[in-house]
Amino acid sequence: MPPANTPPPVEASRSDSVANEYEREPVPEKSLKGAGKFWGMYAGEHAAGTEFMIGPLFLLAGVSLQNIIFGLLLGNLMAVLSWRYVCVPIATKARYTLYHHLEKIAGKWLVLLYNLANGLLFCFLAGAMITVSATAVGIPFDMTMPTTDDWLPNSTMFVVVVLAVGLLIATVASLGYDTVAKFANIASPWMVLVFLACGIVAFKQLGASSWEELNAIWSESILFAQDGESESTMGFWSVFLFAWFCNAAMHVGMADLSVFRFAKKASAGWATSAGMYVGHYMAWIAAAFMLAAQIKLNQDANPVPGPMANNVVGLAGIICVVVAGWTTANPTIYRAGLAFQAMAQTIFPNVSRFWATFAAGLIATVAGAFPAFAWQLLGFVGLYGTILAPMGGVIFFDWYFRQKGDASAFQKSSPATSFSVPVLLAWLIPVVPAFYLIVYEGYTAVNFVLPCWLITGVLYLLLSKKPAAA
């Protein structure tokens, strides 16, 4: 039975067999999970499909090896601390999904708009990972691989493979958090070893016996990839900020309230370090070496994950790319499904999470047929962080300055309004000009995440009325 002060669970009256995910009530004690469930999930999610894309994109952007090594080292530390001390403490006290938590602050109609943006952007990210998996699945079928010049589907076979991969991923994600976590826990240890093997083999293929030789080969790879330009568009601070905020929507943006609400203790937040240092450090660097090796051996700078991994470790690399795409897409589609369900429940209260998540999977599958989302990943993750993360600032400032961290009172409270104009203004005032500067003036997206988050949180406090004392 749910606590008396919470509405009855949305799933309680359903006839299907999908487990209760407590979308509109605090997660009860009996459903809490130990930290081990999260270490596997985060290692799997972040040593995954995006890593095969982001590492090579650093090389194509002309980033020096030194800036990659030290920028990622410190930026990933900040990301872990953001999860552990910004997101997870609120998740393990309030124990709500992001969407229901935000509804209590901003009202259901404003959250409907936010959920639409949130769900769609997560779908596009998942779509990029479906593209990644498809490049590996298509190898046995002699599929024509997309190139960085292909923004639209380049062949019928590519579309067929994307549809097959996407539907499978959508089904797994729709079965709920337990299924997603189990899949990640089974896959992640093996994938981590394959990533490590890819990095070691690629490093040996480069044939460098000293730092100077490695640096020289890296510089030659950049020259080849940029047609002799050798122009760097990212320095140390750009790499640092990218590592910190490429998952801004999840940590400071509070999307992972939906995941860590199941954690027994806030210390489970340290599990994100598995994702950051295994995935966003070791795996990014390994993938970058894979492209450098491909350039040296084959004179090919096309960063398509399937063939790159195949060139390095053969069949194990192909399988790793397939599974890596799944382990990123699965929890991302799960998050998008929760967003769409929360949006739909504004009008239709009994909407199933299974079908909302499956719909998110279908949208992601369609997006996966367009390679542009994968090729533009560096800019895209910064843009979606700039759009979504500021709402996390509203939650953070509300929790500590308005709610004073009182979970019991917050859970008993009802939304003061169905559409909070102060929250809307606090969100749009910084985000709209940032969006213009990013999309139309070409400014680097990740530079705007922290300023927008802080400005939104402060504006929320200034524009909204302080609740009357009980």
Side-chain angles (χ1 to χ4, degrees):
M1 292 290 291
N5 60 328
T6 60
V10 173
E11 305 288 332
S13 62
R14 285 178 32 209
S15 60
D16 59 43
S17 60
V18 179
N20 191 341
E21 298 281 316
Y22 311 105
E23 294 92 341
R24 299 185 67 81
E25 59 177 315
V27 176
E29 185 78 22
K30 66 179 182 179
S31 296
L32 300 183
K33 305 177 187 300
K37 292 287 187 181
F38 300 92
W39 284 89
M41 179 178 176
Y42 278 89
E45 182 181 357
H46 296 283
T50 48
E51 282 53 71
F52 281 111
M53 291 303 309
I54 291 175
L57 291 176
F58 282 143
L59 188 154
L60 296 180
V63 184
S64 72
L65 267 181
Q66 181 174 323
N67 286 338
I68 290 176
I69 291 170
F70 291 105
L72 295 183
L73 185 69
L74 297 177
N76 284 320
L77 174 61
M78 294 302 297
V80 172
L81 294 176
S82 297
W83 261 298
R84 174 60 183 85
Y85 293 107
V86 176
C87 175
V88 182
I90 298 176
T92 54
K93 291 179 181 177
R95 299 205 179 279
Y96 281 132
T97 65
L98 161 67
Y99 316 108
H100 191 55
H101 192 124
L102 191 58
E103 182 181 321
K104 282 178 166 282
I105 301 171
K108 65 180 182 179
W109 295 110
L110 178 54
V111 172
L112 185 149
L113 296 178
Y114 175 77
N115 285 339
L116 178 61
N118 202 353
L120 287 175
L121 288 170
F122 278 137
C123 285
F124 295 151
L125 177 61
M129 296 309 96
I130 293 172
T131 301
V132 167
S133 288
T135 65
V137 174
I139 289 177
F141 303 102
D142 198 27
M143 182 182 79
T144 301
M145 295 295 166
T147 70
T148 51
D149 295 325
D150 292 321
W151 286 49
L152 301 175
N154 68 330
S155 69
T156 301
M157 178 58 72
F158 176 71
V159 174
V160 171
V161 171
V162 165
L163 288 175
V165 172
L167 289 174
L168 180 59
I169 292 173
T171 302
V172 172
S174 300
L175 293 175
Y177 177 83
D178 279 340
T179 305
V180 172
K182 287 176 183 176
F183 187 90
N185 282 326
I186 292 170
S188 60
W190 173 79
M191 281 196 308
V192 167
L193 292 176
V194 175
F195 264 112
L196 181 60
C198 285
I200 293 171
V201 173
F203 180 80
K204 289 184 176 179
Q205 289 176 341
L206 291 175
S209 58
S210 66
W211 171 258
E212 289 73 20
E213 284 186 39
L214 181 61
N215 226 7
I217 294 170
W218 183 262
S219 298
E220 291 169 6
S221 300
I222 292 174
L223 274 171
F224 179 86
Q226 296 186 348
D227 296 324
E229 294 294 326
S230 189
E231 179 183 353
S232 177
T233 57
M234 297 180 71
F236 169 82
W237 289 109
S238 295
V239 175
F240 169 81
L241 289 173
F242 181 84
W244 185 3
F245 291 124
C246 67
N247 286 123
M250 280 74 162
H251 48 72
V252 295
M254 303 292 180
D256 278 0
L257 292 180
S258 301
V259 174
F260 280 110
R261 66 197 168 110
F262 288 99
K264 289 182 179 179
K265 299 178 180 179
S267 57
W270 293 118
T272 58
S273 62
M276 295 303 97
Y277 286 102
V278 172
H280 291 192
Y281 195 74
M282 181 273 286
W284 281 359
I285 293 173
F289 282 164
M290 289 165 62
L291 180 59
Q294 179 176 281
I295 291 172
K296 180 179 180 181
L297 298 177
N298 302 332
Q299 299 296 292
D300 179 9
N302 192 26
V304 181
M308 273 199 315
N310 185 39
N311 291 338
V312 175
V313 292
L315 180 61
I318 294 174
I319 297 173
C320 184
V321 172
V322 174
V323 178
W326 290 356
T327 54
T328 297
N330 272 335
T332 304
I333 290 173
Y334 174 77
R335 292 182 181 104
L338 288 175
F340 288 152
Q341 184 195 27
M343 181 180 70
Q345 284 175 340
T346 304
I347 303 172
F348 306 106
N350 293 320
V351 170
S352 160
R353 181 200 47 75
F354 178 93
W355 291 111
T357 305
F358 194 76
L362 293 180
I363 295 172
T365 300
V366 173
F370 295 85
F373 290 110
W375 306 143
Q376 299 300 314
L377 201 57
L378 291 182
F380 176 74
V381 295
L383 180 62
Y384 94 78
T386 299
I387 294 171
L388 299 181
M391 276 299 198
V394 171
I395 291 174
F396 181 86
F397 279 78
D398 177 78
W399 183 258
Y400 288 104
F401 293 97
R402 288 287 162 81
Q403 307 300 331
K404 307 297 184 183
D406 188 339
S408 178
F410 183 69
Q411 290 168 358
K412 293 175 183 177
S413 68
S414 299
T417 177
S418 62
F419 190 100
S420 173
V421 173
V423 172
L424 177 66
L425 292 175
W427 183 28
L428 294 183
I429 286 172
V431 168
V432 169
F435 182 87
Y436 173 81
L437 291 172
I438 293 166
V439 174
Y440 296 102
E441 299 296 331
Y443 284 80
T444 302
V446 292
N447 293 345
F448 292 91
V449 176
L450 184 58
C452 286
W453 188 86
L454 289 170
I455 292 170
T456 297
V458 172
L459 283 177
Y460 162 71
L461 293 180
L462 294 176
L463 296 174
S464 60
K465 294 180 180 179
K466 186 175 182 179

